[in-house]
Structure formats: C-alpha cells, structure tokens
Amino acid sequence: MSSAALAVTLTQTIPLWIGVKKGLSIEKVLEGLPKDSENRSACQSVLYTAVRQRALLQKLSSDLISRAPADDVLALIELALGLLSEGKEKPFTVVNEAVAAAKHSRKMVKAANFVNAILRRFGREKTELLVKAEKQPTVRFNAPDWWIRRYEAVFGEQTPEIFALQQKHPPMTLRVNTGKTSVEEAQAKLEKAGIPAERVGKFGLILLSPRPVKDVPGFLEGEVSVQDAGSQLAAELLDAKEGMRVLDACAAPGGKTAHSLELADVDMTALEIDPKRASRITENLDRLGLKAKVTVADAGDPKKWWDGRPFERILLDAPCTASGIVRRHPDIPWSRKPEDIAKLARTQGKLLETMWPLLANNGRILYAVCSVFPEEGPRGIEAFCARHPDAKLIPIGPEGENLLSLSPAEGPETPGSVWPATHDGFFYALLEKI
Ligand SMILES: C[S@@+](CC[C@H](N)C(=O)[O-])C[C@H]1O[C@@H](n2cnc3c(N)ncnc32)[C@H](O)[C@@H]1O
C-alpha cells in the first residue's frame, strides 16, 4: 500500500471499525463502502487486521491511554496499532500516515499530537506491552471469555490448536465445476497462469497464494467457484440424482445449490428469506450457466411458497452461530451473545420440523450447520430422531458415523481420499424418511 493511500485508508476504515466494535458484522459495515471504491480492498484489509487482533487492541489502548479520547480518535489509534503489531507495514509509515489522517480531519486535527505520542510510545514499548497482553487468554485467542469456555467444552486439550488455526488467514479454496472441466484440467490451467494450487477433497483446489476471484482463470467462465472444502461435502452427501425434485431451504449465496446442479440436472428450488442475499444466488447460477427456481420466502412458512408436491431431497443449511468459520469471519465471537446458541438451536429445530412433511417417502434431508456447538448439531438431531420414528440416520462419516462433526482443520491430503484434510468447522446429518 502506498503511504499516501494509507492515510486515506485509515480515515475510511474508522467508521467501519467503530461499527464492528458496536456489534455489526464485517459484511454489514462493508456495505457502507461503495463497491467501486478504489480503496475498498485496502480498507477491508486494514479492518480485518484490526478484527483479528480485537482483544489485543482493546488491551493495548487501555494500557497506553489513560483518558478515553473521542471514538474516531480511539479507532484511528487502534487501527494503526493493529498495523504496527502485525508488522507488515513500516512502523514510521504507519505512524506518519495515522498522524496525517488526524491532521486532515477537522474533527481529529486537535488530537494529531496525541495520536503521534501514543503510537511512538507503542513503538518504544512494543515488546513488553505485547508480552503482557498475551498473558490474557482473551488476547491469545482473540475471543470473549464465554466463547473460550464454549470452545474448551467442545475441543478440550485441542482448544489452543483450534484457536491458533482460527487466527490464521483462511485458505482460498476453489470448487471445480466438473460439469465444465476436470479438477486436473483446472489445476493445470491455474499452474499455467502462475497460480499453483493443491488438491483438497474430491472437487477442491487450494490456491497457495490467494488472489481476487476475478483474477482466477476460469472463474468468470464458471469453471471454478470459491467454496470451502468442508462445505463442498454437502452436495455429495445430499446425492441428488438427475430429475429429482430438490429443495435448498436456506440457499444464499448459493454455493451448495450450485454444486448440486453441477453434479446432476435436478429440479431445484432455492429458497432464501433475504432478498439481497437471494440475488447473489441468481448471480452465481448465471455465472455458472445453471438454473433453479430462486424464491424469496421464509422456509418456516411453506403455505406461502410450497405447491404441495414432496421433495426427494432437501438441504437444510440452517442459520447458525457460524462458530466453525471464525477464521473467515473473525468478528463472529464478538458479535454473538451466549444466549444466541439456544435461540438458534430452537430456530434450527423448528425449520427441521417444518421441512419434514415436505419430504417424500424414502426421500432424504441433509441437515447442515457451519457450527461446532453440539446444541446446533448432534443434540438437535438426536432430539429430532427421538420425536420421529420415521426418520432414519444414514451413515455419512469417513468411518461410517451417523453424525459428522468436522472441526476446523488444516493438513496434508491423503492422496486419493475424498475427505478433505483442510476445511472449516461443519456439522452434517443425513435423514431418510422411512
Ligand atoms: C448458512 S447460510 C446458507 C449458505 C448456503 N447454503 C451456501 O452454501 O451458499 C443460511 C442462509 O439462510 C437464510 N435464512 C435464514 N432463515 C431463513 C428462513 N427462515 N427461510 C429461508 N432462508 C433463511 C439466511 O439469510 C442465509 O442466507
């Protein structure tokens, strides 16, 4: 990033960072930046750098600042501290540009010397301040205490390893559209363009160095899409065959809808409650040259959209805490509240109950969440099966497990295995109506 651009980037990122600190999602605050803004990706990068170190920045600013300044000044200091502790930009550039950003703002000009003093003090005391801050679990794991305890309950001794993984930059994983090309051909095409990629799972490729999708050969032509390898398992597990009536009940942005259509020519209804998100399904399907009935509706209210003909396959990729995809959305632990888990588990249970009568006899419903919390996965499914003697769990795991809980993971692939070694956290259960 050029240094002059950095001052502008910091200024533009201030309101986004304030929004995230107030509990808005990264996705939501980025809506405030024009899509064609030249600085969009730079702002995004500065914002992510701050969000990935949110607890550290809170601790540093409380150690360095005795009287809280105005919100925008504090945000500017925190964003600059984020860059300084990350260490990718030259420290003098960060300090100078943060001070320039303050000087160029009518509201912050008086605080320019203050910004300068705090950032320079951080430069002098960086090592001690970071060592002291890292002693706090909330800083080490960049999550609130309650979230850390929930992870400990799920992952036990593995917790630090899972958190360490969550703090890394996520891999950029592509799904190859095998209706248009093969995984080998897509990999060779990337290699030829100087973009080496490794295989993951049955349909995936991980780019060794991520880049904007528009620069990925084959993306605009619909040969590849961006989708985590754990998420790529859904279409395969759903196993929708040619001509089947299929419902994707919570479909946006359409990754799993599209994958099912790439694997078989099915009669697909893609439901989505949020109209803005629904338009992304259509965009994705258009790019891939695929067709579905994209419907904006509440899956929980079928009388508004269902024609009464049963579906042979239903995918219920239910709204969840997203606790399995924190490395892609580092704001999640901070934007959730402890009570959200039970609330979302109730919503998931209700949606599954509503979907069940829509399923044909011998039909299958794949329940999925990108969460690692048991209330949203195994517990809800076990309770559902206890209430429904006509529901049979179909084994789906690599070792024949009925309930597939995937922890976020990264590792070398086993050659020839369809099970990816690198993926986000997911839960899957496949139920057949008997
Ligand atoms: C986990 S995301 C789905 C991701 C999608 N399956 C994919 O692979 O691209 C859940 C989606 O469900 C939508 N949603 C939430 N409640 C819904 C409801 N009652 N009816 C329909 N869609 C709903 C959300 O807006 C969100 O887009």
Side-chain angles (χ1 to χ4, degrees):
M1 198 182 305
S2 80
S3 59
L6 182 55
V8 177
T9 301
L10 286 166
T11 305
Q12 290 180 344
T13 313
I14 288 171
L16 312 183
W17 174 231
I18 292 176
V20 169
K21 287 203 291 175
K22 283 187 178 151
L24 296 177
S25 67
I26 295 180
E27 195 181 356
K28 187 84 207 153
V29 298
L30 285 173
E31 283 173 11
L33 264 190
K35 278 241 157 28
D36 54 355
S37 156
E38 272 179 34
N39 247 1
R40 191 181 165 86
S41 73
C43 291
Q44 209 166 316
S45 155
V46 169
L47 182 64
Y48 269 93
T49 300
V51 178
R52 284 187 197 287
Q53 307 176 84
R54 178 172 176 152
L56 172 67
L57 299 182
Q58 238 166 12
K59 173 80 178 109
L60 290 178
S61 52
S62 81
D63 284 353
L64 288 163
I65 302 171
S66 46
R67 258 207 8 236
D71 284 356
D72 46 1
V73 174
L74 179 62
L76 174 62
I77 291 173
E78 287 173 338
L79 293 175
L81 287 172
L83 294 175
L84 290 171
S85 70
E86 185 195 42
K88 284 192 189 153
E89 300 281 341
K90 291 193 180 77
F92 72 85
T93 306
V94 175
V95 177
N96 290 351
E97 292 311 303
V99 173
K103 282 185 178 159
H104 289 140
S105 148
R106 232 175 350 107
K107 272 171 67 202
M108 294 193 290
V109 63
K110 284 197 181 137
N113 287 342
F114 176 71
V115 171
N116 189 33
I118 298 294
L119 297 181
R120 286 189 192 279
R121 183 174 154 211
F122 176 71
R124 289 192 303 274
E125 298 175 21
K126 180 174 175 181
T127 310
E128 306 90 275
L129 284 165
L130 292 182
V131 168
K132 186 173 147 202
E134 284 286 321
K135 291 199 173 120
Q136 297 189 347
T138 182
V139 170
R140 255 192 336 273
F141 298 146
N142 194 38
D145 284 328
W146 74 269
W147 186 274
I148 296 173
R149 285 195 299 277
R150 292 305 311 244
Y151 258 51
E152 282 168 345
V154 177
F155 298 114
E157 283 179 0
Q158 238 202 323
T159 307
E161 199 186 305
I162 299 285
F163 270 117
L165 194 66
Q166 302 276 45
Q167 281 162 296
K168 284 169 75 174
H169 282 262
M172 182 166 177
T173 307
L174 302 181
R175 179 190 78 239
V176 176
N177 179 355
T178 47
K180 290 201 174 198
T181 183
S182 68
V183 181
E184 291 74 16
E185 274 168 4
Q187 191 177 19
K189 194 165 177 175
L190 289 166
E191 189 79 47
K192 205 165 153 212
I195 307 175
E198 281 173 359
R199 287 198 66 149
V200 60
K202 195 165 171 188
F203 304 101
L205 289 169
I206 292 183
L207 301 192
L208 300 191
S209 85
R211 60 201 58 230
V213 276
K214 63 174 178 38
D215 300 339
V216 174
F219 176 78
L220 294 174
E221 299 78 14
E223 291 170 4
V224 291
S225 301
V226 177
Q227 188 181 27
D228 173 73
S231 168
Q232 291 183 29
L233 291 170
E236 241 199 305
L237 296 174
L238 188 67
D239 192 26
K241 306 244 184 329
E242 298 289 312
M244 277 187 174
R245 265 174 68 77
V246 182
L247 170 69
D248 186 345
C250 293
K256 299 181 185 79
T257 317
H259 195 194
S260 285
L261 286 161
E262 287 168 6
L263 297 184
D265 185 11
V266 299
D267 176 6
M268 172 73 78
T269 301
L271 273 194
E272 170 57 45
I273 199 163
D274 177 337
K276 243 199 204 151
R277 287 178 62 82
S279 64
R280 292 184 55 200
I281 309 176
T282 312
E283 268 167 37
N284 277 324
L285 294 180
D286 287 351
R287 178 179 57 82
L288 293 159
L290 301 168
K291 290 253 171 306
K293 287 179 212 108
V294 178
T295 308
V296 178
D298 178 357
D301 191 6
K303 60 182 181 312
K304 294 244 172 78
W305 53 267
W306 187 41
D307 62 8
R309 288 191 297 145
F311 295 100
E312 290 149 293
R313 292 284 186 272
I314 297 179
L315 170 62
L316 176 58
D317 189 9
C320 69
T321 56
S323 59
I325 54 169
V326 172
R327 64 178 170 172
R328 295 186 194 282
H329 302 278
D331 50 325
I332 282 170
W334 303 98
S335 58
R336 295 286 179 217
K337 293 187 279 318
E339 57 271 28
D340 289 348
I341 302 175
K343 219 191 266 172
L344 281 156
R346 278 195 297 277
T347 304
Q348 293 150 2
K350 271 193 205 155
L351 282 171
L352 190 53
E353 285 293 345
T354 310
M355 292 300 105
W356 195 243
L358 279 53
L359 188 66
N361 286 340
N362 304 317
R364 289 180 174 186
I365 182 161
L366 180 68
Y367 173 85
V369 278
C370 53
S371 174
V372 294
F373 295 144
E375 293 90 329
E376 300 182 86
R379 279 197 215 150
I381 293 299
E382 280 156 8
F384 180 84
C385 289
R387 288 193 302 272
H388 290 270
D390 60 340
K392 179 174 111 185
L393 277 164
I394 305 293
I396 47 174
E399 278 153 34
E401 302 93 324
N402 278 339
L403 305 174
L404 180 57
S405 295
L406 295 175
S407 304
E410 200 170 283
E413 287 294 293
T414 310
S417 170
V418 295
W419 296 97
T422 297
H423 51 74
D424 293 340
F426 272 93
F427 171 81
Y428 288 112
L430 185 62
L431 294 159
E432 187 171 282
K433 196 183 252 188
I434 50 175

